[in-house]
Amino acid sequence: MDSKRKARIIGTGTYLPSKILKNSDLEKVVETSDEWIVTRTGMRERRIASETEYSSTMGLIASKDAIKNAGIKAEDIELIVVATATPDYIFPSTATVIQSGLEGCKAPAFDIQAACAGFLYGLSIVRSYIESGMYKHVLLVASEKLSSIVNYKDRATCVLFGDGAAACVVSAEGKGLQINDICLGADGGPAETLGVIAGGCRHPSSEETVKNDMHYLTMNGQEVFKNAVRCMESMTNNCLDKLAIKPDDISWFVPHQANIRIIEALSKRLGIPDERIFKTIHKYGNTSASSVPIALHELLQKHTIDTGELLLFTAFGAGLTYASSVLEQINH
Ligand code: UT7
């Protein structure tokens, strides 16, 4: 690797479907209440893709936005990586479908699967391509149509998830957010903890799998909650220690938006005050891989980040996978 070449995010973009699903709408389909959802999760509403919106179409709009904001052209993109747990198809990859919609772009394209930690896993991959000197501009997309795998009869999960996409251009040069470090982890465990059991080669889709609701997402919420706080805390501390920095040095904390109580428990343990945490959970719910980059894009729209300021990302998801990253605003 060229040790002087540092990857940085030079442009971001998002797409959120226009349809809003409120807590009061969910009260009509399952036995729940606005009060339970708000106090147990912090969520008030989430976006739901239409029948003709897919991870590829949402990801494509977010990609065009990111490319425009980066000040480059689609033909400058040399690689496309898409993080998604809800691809359009098992194959071909959603990345290739997105590529076909980017005029003039003939870049190689592939998907990665690390569930809610997918954006940060993807960031570590594209960073390596940039810092090895192989590519100058890479497009990283996170896009999820979680409503396609949510069981709207299961109150324990259907209130949690929403749809949406985000993209960023990661480059070898230019003003933006330099990736100072990324730390990745995984505690491989049973798919039943959090997963979609059918549709793969172990349980191919059949009448039986559909009858048993195995094509829907299932989750052991309490197990996931406990591990989420523990793993994101340890991975974040690893990352801060490697860079010899403290939580006080962080200007903005952008955590995965899965539950407000997870965010609060985590930030309390890390010692990051509420005014430095960026949240979108109340309006978008959990958008899996898209949650950190959607929040990042909105943070950059709302606040100016000065040169030298540090951002901290962390995410946790099925697998169990988790990751943390520190980025620094640079001016060149
Ligand atoms: O992005 C990937 C990572 N995902 C996560 O990090 C999610 C992690 N887990 C969580 O966020 C929480 O565990 C949940 C929000 C899923 C659940 O909250 P909880 O405080 O752990 O609730 P619980 O599962 O312990 O359930 C408590 C009660 C139960 O009733 P009983 O048995 O005490 O009578 C549930 O049946 O709440 C009930 N309940 C609900 N009640 C009203 C569960 N879901 C609902 C609901 N509305 N939607």
Side-chain angles (χ1 to χ4, degrees):
M1 287 215 189
D2 176 352
S3 60
K4 289 195 206 86
R5 194 170 158 125
K6 285 287 206 177
R8 74 283 313 267
I9 296 173
I10 63 161
T12 61
T14 56
Y15 176 76
L16 277 311
S18 56
K19 183 178 168 192
I20 295 174
L21 182 67
K22 294 193 170 139
N23 290 351
S24 54
D25 300 320
L26 287 160
E27 283 176 348
K28 291 174 199 143
V29 285
V30 283
E31 205 186 316
T32 191
S33 64
D34 176 56
E35 200 254 331
W36 191 95
I37 302 172
V38 172
T39 52
R40 305 309 289 167
T41 72
M43 297 169 188
R44 292 183 182 277
E45 54 188 52
R46 60 290 292 142
R47 299 301 176 97
I48 301 295
S50 73
E51 267 179 34
T52 54
E53 287 178 312
Y54 316 111
S55 292
S56 65
T57 58
M58 294 189 287
L60 177 61
I61 300 171
S63 298
K64 288 180 176 170
D65 193 23
I67 290 168
K68 187 181 82 208
N69 291 335
I72 63 166
K73 295 198 168 69
E75 66 210 46
D76 300 324
I77 297 292
E78 294 163 293
L79 174 72
I80 301 171
V81 177
V82 175
T84 182
T86 48
D88 285 27
Y89 314 107
I90 288 186
F91 66 86
S93 68
T94 300
T96 56
V97 183
I98 290 176
Q99 188 243 43
S100 71
L102 288 173
E103 213 175 308
C105 177
K106 280 286 157 220
F110 62 88
D111 289 359
I112 63 150
Q113 166 59 281
C116 301
F119 174 74
L120 291 183
Y121 266 63
L123 198 60
S124 77
I125 295 169
V126 304
R127 173 198 192 205
S128 303
Y129 276 109
I130 299 284
E131 296 190 358
S132 69
M134 193 158 167
Y135 297 125
K136 223 166 99 181
H137 297 299
V138 177
L139 179 67
L140 174 62
V141 188
S143 189
E144 302 283 15
K145 185 173 177 175
L146 292 162
S147 60
S148 68
I149 54 165
V150 162
N151 181 354
Y152 286 96
K153 289 189 183 126
D154 175 15
R155 70 173 182 175
T157 54
C158 75
V159 301
L160 303 173
F161 298 97
D163 301 333
C168 60
V169 175
V170 183
S171 298
E173 55 192 36
K175 184 179 165 190
L177 285 167
Q178 174 179 282
I179 302 158
N180 282 359
D181 212 341
I182 305 184
C183 299
L184 306 178
D187 289 349
E192 286 73 13
T193 305
L194 174 53
V196 177
I197 303 302
C201 70
R202 193 179 282 229
H203 300 288
S205 309
S206 66
E207 261 180 57
E208 192 70 11
T209 62
V210 173
K211 204 169 72 199
N212 292 324
D213 287 342
M214 291 165 71
H215 55 298
Y216 289 130
L217 175 157
T218 52
M219 176 170 72
N220 177 341
Q222 288 186 353
E223 182 72 12
V224 173
F225 190 112
K226 267 191 316 217
N227 281 293
V229 177
R230 182 179 60 81
C231 296
M232 286 194 282
E233 181 195 10
S234 73
M235 212 27 54
T236 300
N237 282 329
N238 270 1
C239 205
L240 297 178
D241 289 350
K242 264 179 82 186
L243 292 165
I245 57 172
K246 303 218 152 8
D248 270 355
D249 301 321
I250 301 296
S251 295
W252 286 104
F253 179 36
V254 185
H256 177 44
Q257 315 277 320
N259 188 318
I260 194 69
R261 291 182 295 132
I262 294 177
I263 295 174
E264 284 168 359
L266 179 63
S267 49
K268 194 169 164 208
R269 288 187 187 198
L270 292 171
I272 298 181
D274 192 56
E275 63 272 18
R276 285 195 271 133
I277 308 169
F278 197 78
K279 295 169 216 150
T280 57
I281 189 163
H282 53 291
K283 49 183 185 171
Y284 304 140
N286 182 350
T287 56
S288 190
S290 306
S291 99
V292 168
I294 288 174
L296 169 65
H297 179 76
E298 295 206 355
L299 168 69
L300 297 178
Q301 305 280 19
K302 275 200 178 146
H303 299 276
T304 306
I305 314 291
D306 292 326
T307 305
E309 282 197 290
L310 299 179
L311 267 56
L312 170 66
F313 299 162
T314 191
F316 174 91
L320 304 167
T321 54
Y322 41 95
S324 296
S325 180
V326 173
L327 297 94
E328 176 179 351
Q329 178 69 31
I330 55 163
N331 232 334
H332 52 85

